[in-house]
Amino acid sequence: MELEVFRKQPLGGIDRRAMVSALSQDGLRVARELLAAQRRAIRPMGTRIAPDAAVVILGGSNGITRAVVAQLLFGERASVYAVHYDSEKMQIGCHHVAALVEAAQAEGLTARFWNADATKPQVIEEVIAELRGKHRAVHLVNGIASGATKRYAEHGPTRVRDIDVAFDPILQIPDFDRPENIRKVGLVDVEVATEADIERTNRLMGTSSLLWAEPLAAAGLLVRGESVVSFCDYDYEPNDPVYAMGPLAGAKKLQRETMDQIRDRFGARTVRICYPAVATTALGAIPGGLLMYGLTAQILKERGQYQDVMELGAGTMKMFTEGFDADTLRLDEAYQAALPEFHAREGQLGPDNLREAFRLLYGER
């Protein structure tokens, strides 16, 4: 089947001026309403986070880490400190943060956010200064999702199958709510990463956990045998033409090596959290990512195994429960089992059956 080549545009090609205006007018209202609706389904998951401990999240303003923050605050009543990095005019993250902090304060909960680069030493120092004296122990969840969605030069450029999906202009996530939002299937270009791309991806997604673990341990906040240091991982297929052959995979490998160092040097319990593909802003930037999410979500819904982002946030709490001592928390088992069927359907997807292929996703929100 011959497919057209189309340009994968940021956020599905949203008009930037209109988006800025919509965020300014309605961003906080939408963030508040979404959080209120989601909180109605949040239940305690039985974590053993000590009252004098805190959880530091690298991320927390959007996607899975926002769901983790919401569950920690309103389900587990834990103290949360988070470092995100968002444009106040261009991104929904700052509005999500405002809604989270507002709701937490109304219930007497601790929620403190910094909008800054989490790899900057002065930012790390400022957060630790805030933690010191208030908390005896700290857990760390690294959810930084900012890297080059390209390939290493040795593999060269390529093209991959993907779908063109409209994004919600305020929430900035791919909107599978209506069939007309799935506009086309085709091929998109995957470029070659520069050395600067690789260095930045490795710094943000590869070695950033150690940047935090060392000063946390020096401050006495990383408690041997108690503190959990984790990172949000994606167990990509070894032949994935984008993820497995570029800086994203290189950074994930570095992060796994970093976990070993943190465990051996500081005695922290280290956990690799494996998530499925989820309809987030970050996934929408990866060539082939929307197709991967859309088809696997359809398959998982058919099998009664689909989990939305809030359910995955709740599932993440397992690593804080009594008796959990594994170095990997798999929330992607059903997703991994769906991949053979995904590949079978991927090759059959074309303009004639495009919207029917995702029928169970419509009306999801």
Side-chain angles (χ1 to χ4, degrees):
M1 182 185 302
E2 188 171 339
L3 298 175
E4 68 170 297
V5 178
F6 70 93
R7 181 171 175 266
K8 189 175 181 69
Q9 300 186 73
L11 300 179
I14 288 177
D15 179 271
R16 293 302 181 93
R17 290 185 179 180
M19 182 184 71
V20 169
S21 177
L23 280 172
S24 175
Q25 293 178 21
D26 298 312
L28 182 56
R29 175 187 61 78
V30 170
R32 284 170 171 164
E33 290 175 355
L34 177 64
L35 179 61
Q38 291 172 334
R39 283 183 61 191
R40 288 194 283 271
I42 291 177
R43 300 289 182 271
M45 298 300 290
T47 61
R48 297 286 180 168
I49 299 173
D52 57 355
V55 184
V56 173
I57 311 285
L58 306 186
S61 66
N62 208 346
I64 288 177
T65 52
R66 173 186 166 275
V68 170
V69 167
Q71 180 66 41
L72 284 167
L73 285 171
F74 307 112
E76 316 311 316
R77 318 296 286 184
S79 297
V80 176
Y81 298 76
V83 184
H84 64 112
Y85 204 14
D86 293 296
S87 164
E88 295 191 10
K89 290 185 178 181
M90 298 286 290
Q91 292 175 286
I92 183 65
C94 293
H95 296 297
H96 281 319
V97 165
L100 286 163
V101 171
E102 179 183 77
Q105 290 177 344
E107 296 199 20
L109 300 170
T110 298
R112 175 78 193 275
F113 283 76
W114 285 259
N115 188 8
D117 183 344
T119 66
K120 297 292 185 183
Q122 60 268 32
V123 174
I124 299 172
E125 291 171 9
E126 183 179 342
V127 176
I128 291 177
E130 181 75 14
L131 293 163
R132 192 186 287 114
K134 294 181 178 178
H135 301 283
R136 176 188 56 81
V138 165
H139 306 288
L140 177 68
V141 180
N142 188 343
I144 295 176
S146 179
T149 57
K150 302 177 182 179
R151 285 158 60 97
Y152 286 133
E154 63 199 73
H155 299 298
T158 191
R159 285 174 174 165
V160 299
R161 287 174 180 261
D162 206 351
I163 50 177
D164 181 29
V165 180
F167 276 57
D168 185 296
I170 295 178
L171 292 174
Q172 300 177 332
I173 56 175
D175 187 358
F176 286 85
D177 199 47
R178 296 178 294 174
E180 58 267 29
N181 288 346
I182 303 176
R183 298 179 294 211
K184 67 177 69 173
V185 59
L187 301 172
V188 295
D189 290 315
V190 188
E191 301 174 351
V192 169
T194 66
E195 288 302 317
D197 289 330
I198 296 169
E199 186 281 329
R200 180 178 179 276
T201 305
N202 286 342
R203 174 172 58 85
L204 290 171
M205 298 178 64
T207 58
S208 49
S209 293
L210 191 58
L211 292 177
W212 282 82
E214 288 178 330
L216 282 170
L221 293 168
L222 212 59
V223 178
R224 184 174 294 272
E226 177 183 353
S227 291
V228 175
V229 177
S230 61
F231 79 101
C232 302
D233 202 357
Y234 173 63
D235 203 357
Y236 52 86
E237 296 178 288
N239 61 347
D240 186 302
V242 181
Y243 219 107
M245 299 182 186
L248 293 176
K252 292 298 186 185
K253 291 174 183 176
L254 277 175
Q255 191 74 275
R256 295 166 194 170
E257 294 170 5
T258 296
M259 289 293 110
D260 292 339
Q261 294 181 47
I262 292 170
R263 182 190 63 240
D264 295 342
R265 290 174 58 188
F266 309 122
R269 297 191 295 122
T270 56
V271 182
R272 170 188 172 215
I273 314 166
C274 294
Y275 293 110
V278 181
T280 60
T281 306
L283 183 91
I286 302 174
L290 293 181
L291 177 58
M292 176 65 81
Y293 164 75
L295 276 186
T296 56
Q298 170 71 26
I299 296 164
L300 291 172
K301 280 179 171 287
E302 291 172 4
R303 298 176 177 181
Q305 297 174 317
Y306 177 79
Q307 289 185 297
D308 65 21
V309 67
M310 297 303 292
E311 291 170 318
L312 292 169
T316 303
M317 297 301 104
K318 186 176 181 180
M319 68 183 179
F320 296 119
T321 57
E322 186 174 3
F324 182 84
D325 60 359
D327 61 4
T328 301
L329 172 57
R330 285 212 165 270
L331 299 175
D332 66 340
E333 291 179 333
Y335 168 79
Q336 294 289 339
L339 290 176
E341 179 63 19
F342 162 80
H343 290 298
R345 298 189 190 188
E346 176 191 23
Q348 302 301 315
L349 191 64
D352 293 340
N353 63 356
L354 176 60
R355 292 174 177 173
E356 173 64 17
F358 306 100
R359 64 189 181 280
L360 294 184
L361 278 63
Y362 307 142
E364 182 179 323
R365 289 188 290 141

